[in-house]
């Protein structure tokens, strides 16, 4: 990820992909132009890198020139009116290929057609390295397109954000939801994740997703998902990854305008942790930290048996099932400490003490994130 001025951008198109697209465009132009000597016209500033790479790959004689977009001075308008300047060469009867870095709305293209209308060129074609089909509002034909991209702001490979980023050899895309705070509240069964999440979600205005709660809600409502999950939960075993991951994804999608999430009881396996990273990535976001409540096993068993007297949870009522849940945690889930520690995102917190003391310890850690 990179930061330009106030915004963050993530890697989007690699140098290799760009290189392949440019080569393919060159091949297409070569086969269309045949034995004519074309004039390649780059549109400054953004196309300088594309034009440079394009003409280096062009195997036959060609001419290269540039025109530039310039704002009209003295125009009192809120609209940014721009005109192309710098076309001094006589292009009568020439084969002209416009080389554009990116075509989105097509406004520049309209301007290109306006100035070329009076030039008596033999043939005018348009080549653009990047194209945003969703944003394109015009009917002009695009003869050569390198890579179609979604309607999101990009920088690099000649393209800038307020002057910065043109020198980057690959293309980056604007991260749109960069202000989400997401953390995994971690710890063995009975560590107090649910209790603490209820305080933390208020303090930080986050959406709390407890996979255990979602499963229990489905069991109560006798859904197909609930019935499936029940068979595992009753034994203190983990519900299969596919089922759990799909469910988690759906819960996140339901809250698309969230400031961020507290994930409680998820992830519990490596596959779930990877799926969560991918999901956050698709939202232009990330897991900021795993905040773990550390509690001894015997304290856990005692707490869960105590909770079982009032919670109505069958998996809290039986010491054998409780011990199986703790065993599942150490066999399948505890390894996730390493997963997040490797990314420097693991924060351990002592989970023994009064509820408010533990909340204070947690907020002290989260405030530093
Ligand atoms: P919890 O409420 O977090 O203690 O979860 C209760 C039970 O729900 C667990 O013992 C599992 O059977 C199931 N469960 C909850 N979250 C997950 C998960 N992320 N992966 C697999 N099973 C889960």
């Amino acid at each position: 990820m990179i930061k330009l001025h106030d915004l963050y951008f993530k890697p989007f198109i690699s140098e290799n992909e760009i290189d392949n697209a440019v080569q393919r465009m060159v091949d297409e132009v070569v086969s269309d132009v045949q034995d004519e000597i074309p004039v390649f016209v780059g549109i400054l500033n953004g196309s300088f890198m594309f034009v440079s790479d394009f003409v280096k790959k062009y195997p036959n004689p060609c001419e290269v020139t540039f025109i530039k977009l310039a704002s009209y001075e003295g125009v009192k308008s809120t609209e940014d009116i721009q005109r192309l300047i710098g076309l001094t060469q006589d292009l009568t009867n020439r084969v002209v290929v416009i080389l554009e870095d990116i075509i989105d709305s097509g406004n520049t293209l309209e301007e290109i057609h306006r100035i070329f209308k009076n030039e008596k060129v033999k043939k005018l074609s348009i080549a653009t390295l990047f194209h945003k089909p969703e944003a394109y509002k015009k009917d002009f034909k695009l003869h050569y397109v390198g890579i179609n991209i979604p309607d999101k702001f990009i920088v690099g490979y000649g393209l800038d954000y307020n002057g910065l980023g043109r020198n980057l050899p690959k293309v980056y895309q604007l991260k749109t939801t960069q202000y989400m705070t997401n953390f995994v509240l971690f710890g063995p069964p009975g560590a107090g994740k649910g209790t603490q999440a209820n305080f933390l979600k208020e303090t930080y205005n986050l959406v709390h997703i407890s996979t255990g709660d979602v499963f229990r809600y489905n069991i109560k409502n006798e859904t197909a998902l609930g019935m499936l999950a029940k068979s595992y939960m009753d034994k203190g075993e983990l519900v299969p990854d596919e089922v759990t991951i799909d469910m988690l994804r759906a819960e996140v999608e339901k809250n698309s305008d969230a400031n961020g999430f507290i994930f409680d009881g998820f992830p519990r396996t490596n596959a779930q942790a990877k799926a969560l990273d991918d999901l956050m990535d698709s939202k232009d976001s990330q897991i900021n930290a795993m905040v773990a409540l550390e509690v001894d096993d015997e304290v856990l068993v005692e707490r869960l048996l105590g909770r079982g007297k009032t919670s109505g949870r069958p998996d809290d009522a039986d010491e054998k099932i409780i011990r199986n849940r703790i065993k599942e945690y150490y066999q399948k889930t505890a390894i996730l400490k390493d997963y997040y520690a490797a990314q420097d995102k693991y924060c351990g917190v002592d989970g023994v003490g009064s509820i408010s003391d533990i909340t204070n310890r947690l907020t002290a850690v989260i405030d530093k994130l």
Side-chain angles (χ1 to χ4, degrees):
M1 199 165 60
I2 56 161
K3 189 177 183 199
L4 300 174
H5 298 294
D6 54 329
L7 296 180
Y8 290 89
F9 295 83
K10 60 180 180 176
F12 181 48
I13 304 173
S14 69
E15 291 174 67
N16 202 18
E17 281 174 274
I18 296 171
D19 197 63
N20 290 340
V22 175
Q23 185 62 58
R24 184 175 43 73
M25 293 173 80
V26 168
D27 295 343
E28 288 171 14
V29 172
V30 168
S31 91
D32 287 353
V33 164
Q34 300 195 345
D35 46 10
E36 294 270 357
I37 297 181
V39 185
F40 293 120
V41 181
I43 312 294
L44 289 173
N45 291 327
S47 73
F48 76 93
M49 217 182 262
F50 169 46
V51 174
S52 165
D53 283 348
F54 184 98
V55 297
K56 272 187 275 179
K57 290 181 193 297
Y58 197 77
N60 304 324
C62 64
E63 290 176 33
V64 187
T65 187
F66 288 92
I67 51 180
K68 187 174 168 64
L69 268 178
S71 294
Y72 256 160
E73 275 176 41
V75 175
K76 281 203 186 100
S77 159
T78 45
E79 272 201 16
D80 189 16
I81 297 180
Q82 299 210 306
R83 285 280 138 107
L84 281 161
I85 55 166
L87 187 60
T88 49
Q89 196 173 337
D90 180 14
L91 296 173
T92 307
N93 220 19
R94 300 298 303 271
V95 168
V96 174
V97 182
I98 301 292
L99 296 182
E100 258 283 44
D101 45 327
I102 184 163
I103 290 181
D104 43 31
S105 67
N107 288 343
T108 308
L109 197 55
E110 186 163 37
E111 183 60 19
I112 290 167
H113 281 278
R114 191 189 65 78
I115 64 166
F116 275 88
K117 210 167 59 198
N118 300 327
E119 304 291 320
K120 295 183 177 59
V121 300
K122 187 170 179 186
K123 188 175 177 222
L124 176 72
S125 18
I126 310 294
T128 183
L129 179 55
F130 303 116
H131 174 44
K132 292 179 176 174
E134 293 158 27
Y136 191 55
K137 303 262 169 9
K138 311 283 180 200
D139 290 328
F140 304 114
K141 181 173 162 67
L142 307 180
H143 303 81
Y144 310 99
V145 174
I147 303 173
N148 281 316
I149 57 169
D151 188 12
K152 286 197 175 175
F153 191 78
I154 58 170
V155 293
Y157 199 73
L159 293 147
D160 75 313
Y161 166 52
N162 277 353
L164 295 182
R166 292 194 196 278
N167 57 319
L168 301 165
K170 60 182 165 194
V171 168
Y172 293 77
Q173 190 183 61
L174 178 66
K175 280 171 66 73
T176 42
T177 50
Q178 50 208 307
Y179 304 117
M180 278 215 285
T181 303
N182 306 297
F183 60 88
V184 171
L185 196 53
F186 193 64
K193 302 187 292 290
T195 309
Q196 295 299 337
N198 279 326
F199 294 111
L200 299 175
K201 72 175 181 195
E202 300 295 334
T203 311
Y204 298 103
N205 190 21
L206 301 174
V207 172
H208 169 211
I209 299 181
S210 153
T211 38
D213 284 351
V214 182
F215 283 133
R216 280 184 287 278
Y217 176 85
N218 278 276
I219 292 172
K220 205 168 119 207
N221 289 288
E222 298 182 347
T223 67
L225 173 65
M227 294 307 102
L228 175 70
K230 189 171 175 2
S231 56
Y232 296 93
M233 290 170 76
D234 282 352
K235 288 181 264 173
E237 289 171 8
L238 293 188
V239 178
D241 280 339
E242 273 171 44
V243 178
T244 312
I245 290 169
D246 283 350
M247 182 188 81
L248 186 278
R249 237 184 247 131
E251 288 299 309
V252 169
E253 295 305 339
K254 273 188 213 162
N255 294 285
S256 54
D257 54 352
N259 280 337
F261 295 92
I262 302 174
F263 295 102
D264 158 11
F266 189 97
R268 267 172 149 107
T269 63
N270 252 319
Q272 292 182 14
K274 288 202 180 76
L276 185 59
D277 276 350
D278 290 345
L279 180 63
M280 290 295 106
D281 201 43
S282 75
K283 309 242 152 275
D284 280 350
S285 194
Q286 57 171 335
I287 295 295
N288 301 85
M290 165 183 267
V291 185
L293 289 167
E294 293 165 343
V295 183
D296 275 352
D297 294 359
E298 290 315 308
V299 178
L300 295 173
V301 176
E302 216 176 286
R303 276 190 193 175
L304 288 171
L305 282 171
R307 185 171 81 181
K309 288 184 190 137
T310 54
S311 71
R313 279 179 57 169
D315 60 347
D316 282 348
D318 180 319
E319 185 168 339
K320 218 170 92 212
I321 298 175
I322 290 175
R323 291 205 182 269
N324 199 36
R325 286 163 63 200
I326 296 173
K327 194 173 109 215
E328 285 274 274
Y329 172 81
Y330 284 109
Q331 279 180 354
K332 297 181 181 160
T333 307
I335 41 157
L336 293 183
K337 177 176 173 175
D338 298 337
Y339 182 90
Y340 288 96
Q343 300 176 40
D344 212 12
K345 289 182 179 170
Y346 181 86
C347 314
V349 170
D350 180 5
V352 182
S354 73
I355 291 177
S356 61
D357 280 351
I358 299 169
T359 310
N360 291 339
R361 284 175 214 154
L362 286 168
T363 50
V365 167
I366 295 165
D367 286 343
K368 281 197 215 128
L369 292 180

